[in-house]
PDB file of all heavy atoms in Angstrom:
ATOM      1  N   MET B 225       1.424  12.008  -5.088  1.00 94.00           N
ATOM      2  CA  MET B 225       1.647  10.681  -4.700  1.00 94.00           C
ATOM      3  C   MET B 225       3.162  10.326  -4.558  1.00 94.00           C
ATOM      4  O   MET B 225       3.640   9.507  -5.175  1.00 94.00           O
ATOM      5  CB  MET B 225       1.014   9.653  -5.636  1.00 94.00           C
ATOM      6  CG  MET B 225      -0.491   9.661  -5.545  1.00 94.00           C
ATOM      7  SD  MET B 225      -1.251   8.322  -6.584  1.00 94.00           S
ATOM      8  CE  MET B 225      -0.545   6.864  -5.843  1.00 94.00           C
ATOM      9  N   TYR B 233      10.419   7.671  -4.714  1.00 96.00           N
ATOM     10  CA  TYR B 233       9.204   7.105  -4.106  1.00 96.00           C
ATOM     11  C   TYR B 233       8.048   7.779  -4.733  1.00 96.00           C
ATOM     12  O   TYR B 233       7.835   8.974  -4.474  1.00 96.00           O
ATOM     13  CB  TYR B 233       9.335   7.327  -2.619  1.00 96.00           C
ATOM     14  CG  TYR B 233       8.298   6.612  -1.737  1.00 96.00           C
ATOM     15  CD1 TYR B 233       7.580   5.492  -2.259  1.00 96.00           C
ATOM     16  CD2 TYR B 233       8.038   7.026  -0.465  1.00 96.00           C
ATOM     17  CE1 TYR B 233       6.629   4.857  -1.410  1.00 96.00           C
ATOM     18  CE2 TYR B 233       7.162   6.325   0.367  1.00 96.00           C
ATOM     19  CZ  TYR B 233       6.477   5.241  -0.131  1.00 96.00           C
ATOM     20  OH  TYR B 233       5.564   4.597   0.668  1.00 96.00           O
ATOM     21  N   GLY B 234       7.247   7.075  -5.510  1.00 96.00           N
ATOM     22  CA  GLY B 234       6.134   7.740  -6.154  1.00 96.00           C
ATOM     23  C   GLY B 234       5.332   6.855  -7.054  1.00 96.00           C
ATOM     24  O   GLY B 234       5.447   5.590  -7.077  1.00 96.00           O
ATOM     25  N   ALA B 235       4.491   7.429  -7.898  1.00 98.00           N
ATOM     26  CA  ALA B 235       3.577   6.728  -8.753  1.00 98.00           C
ATOM     27  C   ALA B 235       4.049   6.895 -10.207  1.00 98.00           C
ATOM     28  O   ALA B 235       4.446   7.998 -10.614  1.00 98.00           O
ATOM     29  CB  ALA B 235       2.161   7.208  -8.638  1.00 98.00           C
ATOM     30  N   TYR B 236       4.043   5.770 -10.993  1.00 98.00           N
ATOM     31  CA  TYR B 236       4.548   5.819 -12.326  1.00 98.00           C
ATOM     32  C   TYR B 236       3.620   5.006 -13.198  1.00 98.00           C
ATOM     33  O   TYR B 236       3.098   3.982 -12.860  1.00 98.00           O
ATOM     34  CB  TYR B 236       5.978   5.200 -12.437  1.00 98.00           C
ATOM     35  CG  TYR B 236       6.912   5.754 -11.367  1.00 98.00           C
ATOM     36  CD1 TYR B 236       7.086   5.236 -10.102  1.00 98.00           C
ATOM     37  CD2 TYR B 236       7.659   6.925 -11.694  1.00 98.00           C
ATOM     38  CE1 TYR B 236       7.965   5.802  -9.208  1.00 98.00           C
ATOM     39  CE2 TYR B 236       8.494   7.450 -10.794  1.00 98.00           C
ATOM     40  CZ  TYR B 236       8.684   6.921  -9.517  1.00 98.00           C
ATOM     41  OH  TYR B 236       9.504   7.485  -8.592  1.00 98.00           O
ATOM     42  N   ARG B 237       3.447   5.488 -14.431  1.00 98.00           N
ATOM     43  CA  ARG B 237       2.538   4.828 -15.360  1.00 98.00           C
ATOM     44  C   ARG B 237       3.288   3.710 -16.044  1.00 98.00           C
ATOM     45  O   ARG B 237       4.471   3.759 -16.310  1.00 98.00           O
ATOM     46  CB  ARG B 237       2.071   5.844 -16.478  1.00 98.00           C
ATOM     47  CG  ARG B 237       1.096   6.975 -15.968  1.00 98.00           C
ATOM     48  CD  ARG B 237      -0.198   6.421 -15.560  1.00 98.00           C
ATOM     49  NE  ARG B 237      -1.058   6.134 -16.731  1.00 98.00           N
ATOM     50  CZ  ARG B 237      -2.283   5.565 -16.614  1.00 98.00           C
ATOM     51  NH1 ARG B 237      -2.777   5.325 -15.411  1.00 98.00           N
ATOM     52  NH2 ARG B 237      -2.984   5.360 -17.700  1.00 98.00           N
ATOM     53  N   THR B 238       2.552   2.579 -16.348  1.00 98.00           N
ATOM     54  CA  THR B 238       3.172   1.463 -16.950  1.00 98.00           C
ATOM     55  C   THR B 238       2.656   1.393 -18.395  1.00 98.00           C
ATOM     56  O   THR B 238       1.760   2.073 -18.852  1.00 98.00           O
ATOM     57  CB  THR B 238       2.745   0.124 -16.208  1.00 98.00           C
ATOM     58  OG1 THR B 238       1.269   0.043 -16.185  1.00 98.00           O
ATOM     59  CG2 THR B 238       3.182   0.227 -14.761  1.00 98.00           C
ATOM     60  N   ASP B 240       0.851  -0.768 -19.926  1.00 98.00           N
ATOM     61  CA  ASP B 240      -0.532  -1.145 -20.148  1.00 98.00           C
ATOM     62  C   ASP B 240      -1.548  -0.227 -19.520  1.00 98.00           C
ATOM     63  O   ASP B 240      -2.664  -0.569 -19.269  1.00 98.00           O
ATOM     64  CB  ASP B 240      -0.724  -2.571 -19.605  1.00 98.00           C
ATOM     65  CG  ASP B 240      -0.272  -2.768 -18.204  1.00 98.00           C
ATOM     66  OD1 ASP B 240       0.353  -1.903 -17.679  1.00 98.00           O
ATOM     67  OD2 ASP B 240      -0.674  -3.795 -17.583  1.00 98.00           O
ATOM     68  N   GLY B 241      -1.133   1.031 -19.228  1.00 97.00           N
ATOM     69  CA  GLY B 241      -2.054   2.021 -18.777  1.00 97.00           C
ATOM     70  C   GLY B 241      -2.349   1.986 -17.318  1.00 97.00           C
ATOM     71  O   GLY B 241      -3.295   2.681 -16.866  1.00 97.00           O
ATOM     72  N   GLN B 242      -1.600   1.164 -16.553  1.00 98.00           N
ATOM     73  CA  GLN B 242      -1.859   1.100 -15.067  1.00 98.00           C
ATOM     74  C   GLN B 242      -0.871   2.091 -14.413  1.00 98.00           C
ATOM     75  O   GLN B 242      -0.048   2.667 -15.017  1.00 98.00           O
ATOM     76  CB  GLN B 242      -1.638  -0.360 -14.577  1.00 98.00           C
ATOM     77  CG  GLN B 242      -2.456  -1.377 -15.289  1.00 98.00           C
ATOM     78  CD  GLN B 242      -3.952  -1.249 -14.898  1.00 98.00           C
ATOM     79  OE1 GLN B 242      -4.273  -1.010 -13.742  1.00 98.00           O
ATOM     80  NE2 GLN B 242      -4.861  -1.326 -15.861  1.00 98.00           N
ATOM     81  N   THR B 243      -1.049   2.162 -13.109  1.00 98.00           N
ATOM     82  CA  THR B 243      -0.191   3.014 -12.255  1.00 98.00           C
ATOM     83  C   THR B 243       0.435   2.125 -11.179  1.00 98.00           C
ATOM     84  O   THR B 243      -0.314   1.502 -10.450  1.00 98.00           O
ATOM     85  CB  THR B 243      -0.845   4.219 -11.656  1.00 98.00           C
ATOM     86  OG1 THR B 243      -1.340   5.040 -12.765  1.00 98.00           O
ATOM     87  CG2 THR B 243       0.081   4.980 -10.809  1.00 98.00           C
ATOM     88  N   VAL B 244       1.754   2.165 -11.092  1.00 98.00           N
ATOM     89  CA  VAL B 244       2.470   1.398 -10.080  1.00 98.00           C
ATOM     90  C   VAL B 244       2.984   2.427  -9.053  1.00 98.00           C
ATOM     91  O   VAL B 244       3.483   3.546  -9.452  1.00 98.00           O
ATOM     92  CB  VAL B 244       3.542   0.457 -10.556  1.00 98.00           C
ATOM     93  CG1 VAL B 244       4.646   1.263 -11.223  1.00 98.00           C
ATOM     94  CG2 VAL B 244       4.064  -0.420  -9.521  1.00 98.00           C
ATOM     95  N   VAL B 245       3.017   2.133  -7.787  1.00 98.00           N
ATOM     96  CA  VAL B 245       3.651   2.928  -6.797  1.00 98.00           C
ATOM     97  C   VAL B 245       4.859   2.165  -6.223  1.00 98.00           C
ATOM     98  O   VAL B 245       4.639   1.005  -5.743  1.00 98.00           O
ATOM     99  CB  VAL B 245       2.658   3.307  -5.641  1.00 98.00           C
ATOM    100  CG1 VAL B 245       3.321   4.212  -4.659  1.00 98.00           C
ATOM    101  CG2 VAL B 245       1.436   4.024  -6.245  1.00 98.00           C
ATOM    102  N   LEU B 246       6.010   2.706  -6.291  1.00 96.00           N
ATOM    103  CA  LEU B 246       7.136   2.052  -5.799  1.00 96.00           C
ATOM    104  C   LEU B 246       8.267   3.022  -5.419  1.00 96.00           C
ATOM    105  O   LEU B 246       8.110   4.218  -5.715  1.00 96.00           O
ATOM    106  CB  LEU B 246       7.679   0.995  -6.759  1.00 96.00           C
ATOM    107  CG  LEU B 246       8.089   1.504  -8.191  1.00 96.00           C
ATOM    108  CD1 LEU B 246       9.481   2.139  -8.255  1.00 96.00           C
ATOM    109  CD2 LEU B 246       8.080   0.271  -9.170  1.00 96.00           C
ATOM    110  N   GLY B 247       9.200   2.509  -4.678  1.00 91.00           N
ATOM    111  CA  GLY B 247      10.326   3.412  -4.344  1.00 91.00           C
ATOM    112  C   GLY B 247      11.170   2.741  -3.249  1.00 91.00           C
ATOM    113  O   GLY B 247      11.099   1.558  -2.944  1.00 91.00           O
ATOM    114  N   ASP B 298       4.692  -3.656 -18.712  1.00 98.00           N
ATOM    115  CA  ASP B 298       3.356  -3.709 -18.119  1.00 98.00           C
ATOM    116  C   ASP B 298       3.449  -3.838 -16.616  1.00 98.00           C
ATOM    117  O   ASP B 298       4.479  -4.185 -16.059  1.00 98.00           O
ATOM    118  CB  ASP B 298       2.506  -4.737 -18.738  1.00 98.00           C
ATOM    119  CG  ASP B 298       3.002  -6.220 -18.590  1.00 98.00           C
ATOM    120  OD1 ASP B 298       3.683  -6.408 -17.612  1.00 98.00           O
ATOM    121  OD2 ASP B 298       2.678  -7.087 -19.379  1.00 98.00           O
ATOM    122  N   LEU B 299       2.276  -3.666 -15.940  1.00 98.00           N
ATOM    123  CA  LEU B 299       2.223  -3.663 -14.534  1.00 98.00           C
ATOM    124  C   LEU B 299       2.748  -4.962 -13.925  1.00 98.00           C
ATOM    125  O   LEU B 299       3.495  -4.990 -12.950  1.00 98.00           O
ATOM    126  CB  LEU B 299       0.828  -3.347 -14.070  1.00 98.00           C
ATOM    127  CG  LEU B 299       0.618  -3.374 -12.564  1.00 98.00           C
ATOM    128  CD1 LEU B 299       1.345  -2.213 -11.884  1.00 98.00           C
ATOM    129  CD2 LEU B 299      -0.873  -3.333 -12.161  1.00 98.00           C
ATOM    130  N   GLU B 300       2.318  -6.116 -14.461  1.00 98.00           N
ATOM    131  CA  GLU B 300       2.642  -7.368 -13.857  1.00 98.00           C
ATOM    132  C   GLU B 300       4.169  -7.519 -13.887  1.00 98.00           C
ATOM    133  O   GLU B 300       4.752  -8.033 -12.928  1.00 98.00           O
ATOM    134  CB  GLU B 300       1.977  -8.563 -14.669  1.00 98.00           C
ATOM    135  CG  GLU B 300       2.341  -9.851 -14.159  1.00 98.00           C
ATOM    136  CD  GLU B 300       1.639 -11.024 -14.951  1.00 98.00           C
ATOM    137  OE1 GLU B 300       0.943 -10.706 -16.000  1.00 98.00           O
ATOM    138  OE2 GLU B 300       1.653 -12.139 -14.446  1.00 98.00           O
ATOM    139  N   HIS B 301       4.765  -7.212 -15.000  1.00 98.00           N
ATOM    140  CA  HIS B 301       6.314  -7.315 -15.146  1.00 98.00           C
ATOM    141  C   HIS B 301       6.990  -6.377 -14.068  1.00 98.00           C
ATOM    142  O   HIS B 301       7.926  -6.750 -13.329  1.00 98.00           O
ATOM    143  CB  HIS B 301       6.694  -6.989 -16.518  1.00 98.00           C
ATOM    144  CG  HIS B 301       8.241  -6.981 -16.673  1.00 98.00           C
ATOM    145  ND1 HIS B 301       8.977  -8.134 -16.822  1.00 98.00           N
ATOM    146  CD2 HIS B 301       9.157  -5.967 -16.621  1.00 98.00           C
ATOM    147  CE1 HIS B 301      10.239  -7.902 -16.928  1.00 98.00           C
ATOM    148  NE2 HIS B 301      10.407  -6.578 -16.787  1.00 98.00           N
ATOM    149  N   VAL B 302       6.516  -5.157 -13.960  1.00 98.00           N
ATOM    150  CA  VAL B 302       7.055  -4.244 -13.062  1.00 98.00           C
ATOM    151  C   VAL B 302       7.023  -4.736 -11.610  1.00 98.00           C
ATOM    152  O   VAL B 302       7.973  -4.710 -10.894  1.00 98.00           O
ATOM    153  CB  VAL B 302       6.345  -2.873 -13.218  1.00 98.00           C
ATOM    154  CG1 VAL B 302       6.826  -1.924 -12.031  1.00 98.00           C
ATOM    155  CG2 VAL B 302       6.599  -2.209 -14.551  1.00 98.00           C
ATOM    156  N   GLN B 303       5.853  -5.294 -11.250  1.00 98.00           N
ATOM    157  CA  GLN B 303       5.691  -5.745  -9.869  1.00 98.00           C
ATOM    158  C   GLN B 303       6.476  -6.962  -9.551  1.00 98.00           C
ATOM    159  O   GLN B 303       7.031  -7.075  -8.528  1.00 98.00           O
ATOM    160  CB  GLN B 303       4.225  -5.911  -9.500  1.00 98.00           C
ATOM    161  CG  GLN B 303       3.360  -4.618  -9.508  1.00 98.00           C
ATOM    162  CD  GLN B 303       2.137  -4.751  -8.747  1.00 98.00           C
ATOM    163  OE1 GLN B 303       1.115  -5.181  -9.354  1.00 98.00           O
ATOM    164  NE2 GLN B 303       2.093  -4.374  -7.500  1.00 98.00           N
ATOM    165  N   LYS B 304       6.494  -7.906 -10.525  1.00 98.00           N
ATOM    166  CA  LYS B 304       7.314  -9.102 -10.320  1.00 98.00           C
ATOM    167  C   LYS B 304       8.793  -8.799 -10.231  1.00 98.00           C
ATOM    168  O   LYS B 304       9.477  -9.305  -9.419  1.00 98.00           O
ATOM    169  CB  LYS B 304       7.062 -10.122 -11.460  1.00 98.00           C
ATOM    170  CG  LYS B 304       5.687 -10.828 -11.354  1.00 98.00           C
ATOM    171  CD  LYS B 304       5.578 -11.779 -12.463  1.00 98.00           C
ATOM    172  CE  LYS B 304       4.308 -12.615 -12.325  1.00 98.00           C
ATOM    173  NZ  LYS B 304       4.098 -13.681 -13.385  1.00 98.00           N
ATOM    174  N   ALA B 306      10.102  -5.898  -9.225  1.00 98.00           N
ATOM    175  CA  ALA B 306      10.320  -5.189  -8.000  1.00 98.00           C
ATOM    176  C   ALA B 306      10.289  -6.159  -6.795  1.00 98.00           C
ATOM    177  O   ALA B 306      11.128  -6.066  -5.878  1.00 98.00           O
ATOM    178  CB  ALA B 306       9.246  -4.072  -7.775  1.00 98.00           C
ATOM    179  N   ASP B 307       9.357  -7.103  -6.807  1.00 97.00           N
ATOM    180  CA  ASP B 307       9.290  -8.098  -5.765  1.00 97.00           C
ATOM    181  C   ASP B 307      10.589  -8.935  -5.690  1.00 97.00           C
ATOM    182  O   ASP B 307      11.123  -9.200  -4.621  1.00 97.00           O
ATOM    183  CB  ASP B 307       8.115  -9.051  -5.956  1.00 97.00           C
ATOM    184  CG  ASP B 307       6.766  -8.453  -5.621  1.00 97.00           C
ATOM    185  OD1 ASP B 307       6.744  -7.407  -4.976  1.00 97.00           O
ATOM    186  OD2 ASP B 307       5.688  -8.984  -6.087  1.00 97.00           O
ATOM    187  N   ILE B 311      11.950  -4.708  -3.607  1.00 97.00           N
ATOM    188  CA  ILE B 311      11.546  -3.285  -3.603  1.00 97.00           C
ATOM    189  C   ILE B 311      10.002  -3.289  -3.386  1.00 97.00           C
ATOM    190  O   ILE B 311       9.253  -3.824  -4.131  1.00 97.00           O
ATOM    191  CB  ILE B 311      11.949  -2.629  -4.903  1.00 97.00           C
ATOM    192  CG1 ILE B 311      13.426  -2.626  -5.081  1.00 97.00           C
ATOM    193  CG2 ILE B 311      11.403  -1.131  -4.900  1.00 97.00           C
ATOM    194  CD1 ILE B 311      14.168  -1.906  -3.981  1.00 97.00           C
ATOM    195  N   GLY B 312       9.560  -2.548  -2.367  1.00 97.00           N
ATOM    196  CA  GLY B 312       8.178  -2.396  -2.156  1.00 97.00           C
ATOM    197  C   GLY B 312       7.379  -1.750  -3.241  1.00 97.00           C
ATOM    198  O   GLY B 312       7.880  -0.832  -3.865  1.00 97.00           O
ATOM    199  N   ASN B 313       6.242  -2.262  -3.554  1.00 97.00           N
ATOM    200  CA  ASN B 313       5.475  -1.708  -4.635  1.00 97.00           C
ATOM    201  C   ASN B 313       3.990  -2.063  -4.425  1.00 97.00           C
ATOM    202  O   ASN B 313       3.608  -2.939  -3.672  1.00 97.00           O
ATOM    203  CB  ASN B 313       5.930  -2.371  -5.948  1.00 97.00           C
ATOM    204  CG  ASN B 313       5.717  -3.853  -5.980  1.00 97.00           C
ATOM    205  OD1 ASN B 313       4.654  -4.357  -6.457  1.00 97.00           O
ATOM    206  ND2 ASN B 313       6.771  -4.575  -5.531  1.00 97.00           N
ATOM    207  N   ALA B 314       3.125  -1.185  -5.103  1.00 98.00           N
ATOM    208  CA  ALA B 314       1.643  -1.489  -5.066  1.00 98.00           C
ATOM    209  C   ALA B 314       1.059  -0.977  -6.301  1.00 98.00           C
ATOM    210  O   ALA B 314       1.587  -0.231  -7.055  1.00 98.00           O
ATOM    211  CB  ALA B 314       1.127  -0.691  -3.882  1.00 98.00           C
ATOM    212  N   ARG B 315      -0.180  -1.530  -6.521  1.00 98.00           N
ATOM    213  CA  ARG B 315      -1.008  -1.038  -7.634  1.00 98.00           C
ATOM    214  C   ARG B 315      -1.920   0.041  -7.209  1.00 98.00           C
ATOM    215  O   ARG B 315      -2.479   0.006  -6.144  1.00 98.00           O
ATOM    216  CB  ARG B 315      -1.852  -2.205  -8.183  1.00 98.00           C
ATOM    217  CG  ARG B 315      -2.737  -1.848  -9.365  1.00 98.00           C
ATOM    218  CD  ARG B 315      -3.556  -3.047  -9.809  1.00 98.00           C
ATOM    219  NE  ARG B 315      -4.301  -2.800 -11.018  1.00 98.00           N
ATOM    220  CZ  ARG B 315      -5.576  -2.422 -11.072  1.00 98.00           C
ATOM    221  NH1 ARG B 315      -6.228  -2.221  -9.962  1.00 98.00           N
ATOM    222  NH2 ARG B 315      -6.196  -2.217 -12.208  1.00 98.00           N
ATOM    223  N   TYR B 316      -1.991   1.094  -7.944  1.00 97.00           N
ATOM    224  CA  TYR B 316      -2.861   2.177  -7.664  1.00 97.00           C
ATOM    225  C   TYR B 316      -4.315   1.703  -7.951  1.00 97.00           C
ATOM    226  O   TYR B 316      -4.611   1.379  -9.105  1.00 97.00           O
ATOM    227  CB  TYR B 316      -2.527   3.441  -8.443  1.00 97.00           C
ATOM    228  CG  TYR B 316      -3.582   4.512  -8.518  1.00 97.00           C
ATOM    229  CD1 TYR B 316      -3.786   5.380  -7.521  1.00 97.00           C
ATOM    230  CD2 TYR B 316      -4.436   4.658  -9.696  1.00 97.00           C
ATOM    231  CE1 TYR B 316      -4.772   6.461  -7.550  1.00 97.00           C
ATOM    232  CE2 TYR B 316      -5.363   5.639  -9.700  1.00 97.00           C
ATOM    233  CZ  TYR B 316      -5.550   6.444  -8.673  1.00 97.00           C
ATOM    234  OH  TYR B 316      -6.505   7.472  -8.767  1.00 97.00           O
ATOM    235  N   ASN B 317      -5.239   1.632  -6.977  1.00 97.00           N
ATOM    236  CA  ASN B 317      -6.538   1.154  -7.208  1.00 97.00           C
ATOM    237  C   ASN B 317      -7.604   2.241  -6.942  1.00 97.00           C
ATOM    238  O   ASN B 317      -7.441   3.098  -6.032  1.00 97.00           O
ATOM    239  CB  ASN B 317      -6.858   0.034  -6.148  1.00 97.00           C
ATOM    240  CG  ASN B 317      -6.134  -1.289  -6.539  1.00 97.00           C
ATOM    241  OD1 ASN B 317      -6.163  -1.691  -7.701  1.00 97.00           O
ATOM    242  ND2 ASN B 317      -5.434  -1.893  -5.604  1.00 97.00           N
ATOM    243  N   LEU B 318      -8.721   2.126  -7.566  1.00 96.00           N
ATOM    244  CA  LEU B 318      -9.855   2.905  -7.330  1.00 96.00           C
ATOM    245  C   LEU B 318     -10.684   2.224  -6.192  1.00 96.00           C
ATOM    246  O   LEU B 318     -10.573   0.932  -6.072  1.00 96.00           O
ATOM    247  CB  LEU B 318     -10.734   3.056  -8.522  1.00 96.00           C
ATOM    248  CG  LEU B 318     -10.032   3.758  -9.780  1.00 96.00           C
ATOM    249  CD1 LEU B 318     -10.995   3.665 -10.990  1.00 96.00           C
ATOM    250  CD2 LEU B 318      -9.742   5.195  -9.381  1.00 96.00           C
ATOM    251  N   PRO B 319     -11.453   2.994  -5.434  1.00 97.00           N
ATOM    252  CA  PRO B 319     -12.294   2.292  -4.393  1.00 97.00           C
ATOM    253  C   PRO B 319     -13.124   1.144  -4.905  1.00 97.00           C
ATOM    254  O   PRO B 319     -13.284   0.170  -4.276  1.00 97.00           O
ATOM    255  CB  PRO B 319     -13.154   3.475  -3.871  1.00 97.00           C
ATOM    256  CG  PRO B 319     -12.312   4.657  -4.054  1.00 97.00           C
ATOM    257  CD  PRO B 319     -11.615   4.475  -5.422  1.00 97.00           C
ATOM    258  N   SER B 320     -13.684   1.264  -6.186  1.00 97.00           N
ATOM    259  CA  SER B 320     -14.479   0.268  -6.721  1.00 97.00           C
ATOM    260  C   SER B 320     -13.709  -0.971  -6.973  1.00 97.00           C
ATOM    261  O   SER B 320     -14.295  -2.091  -7.047  1.00 97.00           O
ATOM    262  CB  SER B 320     -15.143   0.741  -8.022  1.00 97.00           C
ATOM    263  OG  SER B 320     -14.220   1.224  -8.962  1.00 97.00           O
ATOM    264  N   GLU B 321     -12.414  -0.794  -7.228  1.00 97.00           N
ATOM    265  CA  GLU B 321     -11.568  -1.965  -7.498  1.00 97.00           C
ATOM    266  C   GLU B 321     -11.173  -2.699  -6.140  1.00 97.00           C
ATOM    267  O   GLU B 321     -10.986  -3.921  -6.150  1.00 97.00           O
ATOM    268  CB  GLU B 321     -10.283  -1.580  -8.244  1.00 97.00           C
ATOM    269  CG  GLU B 321     -10.587  -1.084  -9.675  1.00 97.00           C
ATOM    270  CD  GLU B 321      -9.380  -0.426 -10.286  1.00 97.00           C
ATOM    271  OE1 GLU B 321      -8.644   0.374  -9.682  1.00 97.00           O
ATOM    272  OE2 GLU B 321      -9.138  -0.654 -11.524  1.00 97.00           O
ATOM    273  N   VAL B 322     -11.071  -1.915  -5.073  1.00 97.00           N
ATOM    274  CA  VAL B 322     -10.729  -2.465  -3.769  1.00 97.00           C
ATOM    275  C   VAL B 322     -11.841  -3.413  -3.271  1.00 97.00           C
ATOM    276  O   VAL B 322     -11.574  -4.359  -2.544  1.00 97.00           O
ATOM    277  CB  VAL B 322     -10.493  -1.386  -2.759  1.00 97.00           C
ATOM    278  CG1 VAL B 322     -10.155  -1.997  -1.450  1.00 97.00           C
ATOM    279  CG2 VAL B 322      -9.263  -0.512  -3.252  1.00 97.00           C
ATOM    280  N   LEU B 323     -13.072  -3.141  -3.733  1.00 97.00           N
ATOM    281  CA  LEU B 323     -14.238  -3.957  -3.334  1.00 97.00           C
ATOM    282  C   LEU B 323     -14.041  -5.471  -3.652  1.00 97.00           C
ATOM    283  O   LEU B 323     -14.502  -6.281  -2.936  1.00 97.00           O
ATOM    284  CB  LEU B 323     -15.484  -3.438  -3.927  1.00 97.00           C
ATOM    285  CG  LEU B 323     -16.022  -2.058  -3.494  1.00 97.00           C
ATOM    286  CD1 LEU B 323     -17.228  -1.677  -4.297  1.00 97.00           C
ATOM    287  CD2 LEU B 323     -16.294  -2.067  -2.006  1.00 97.00           C
ATOM    288  N   SER B 324     -13.293  -5.754  -4.723  1.00 97.00           N
ATOM    289  CA  SER B 324     -13.068  -7.104  -5.144  1.00 97.00           C
ATOM    290  C   SER B 324     -11.574  -7.417  -5.004  1.00 97.00           C
ATOM    291  O   SER B 324     -11.084  -8.385  -5.656  1.00 97.00           O
ATOM    292  CB  SER B 324     -13.552  -7.357  -6.551  1.00 97.00           C
ATOM    293  OG  SER B 324     -12.898  -6.445  -7.435  1.00 97.00           O
ATOM    294  N   HIS B 325     -10.879  -6.769  -4.120  1.00 97.00           N
ATOM    295  CA  HIS B 325      -9.435  -6.978  -3.948  1.00 97.00           C
ATOM    296  C   HIS B 325      -9.099  -8.458  -3.580  1.00 97.00           C
ATOM    297  O   HIS B 325      -9.723  -8.932  -2.605  1.00 97.00           O
ATOM    298  CB  HIS B 325      -8.889  -5.999  -2.970  1.00 97.00           C
ATOM    299  CG  HIS B 325      -7.411  -5.737  -3.079  1.00 97.00           C
ATOM    300  ND1 HIS B 325      -6.494  -6.813  -2.830  1.00 97.00           N
ATOM    301  CD2 HIS B 325      -6.624  -4.750  -3.418  1.00 97.00           C
ATOM    302  CE1 HIS B 325      -5.250  -6.338  -3.039  1.00 97.00           C
ATOM    303  NE2 HIS B 325      -5.337  -5.092  -3.426  1.00 97.00           N
ATOM    304  N   PRO B 326      -8.243  -9.088  -4.260  1.00 97.00           N
ATOM    305  CA  PRO B 326      -7.995 -10.473  -3.991  1.00 97.00           C
ATOM    306  C   PRO B 326      -7.354 -10.665  -2.490  1.00 97.00           C
ATOM    307  O   PRO B 326      -7.604 -11.736  -1.953  1.00 97.00           O
ATOM    308  CB  PRO B 326      -7.013 -10.885  -5.043  1.00 97.00           C
ATOM    309  CG  PRO B 326      -6.388  -9.617  -5.526  1.00 97.00           C
ATOM    310  CD  PRO B 326      -7.472  -8.623  -5.450  1.00 97.00           C
TER     311      PRO B 326
END
Side-chain angles (χ1 to χ4, degrees):
M225 286 187 64
Y233 190 17
Y236 307 93
R237 295 289 285 177
T238 60
D240 54 347
Q242 303 292 318
T243 298
V244 66
V245 180
L246 56 79
D298 62 26
L299 177 69
E300 182 179 7
H301 176 82
V302 170
Q303 292 199 276
K304 285 184 176 180
D307 286 341
I311 300 300
N313 62 90
R315 180 180 187 266
Y316 166 80
N317 287 313
L318 298 174
S320 56
E321 293 170 318
V322 178
L323 294 174
S324 57
H325 199 295

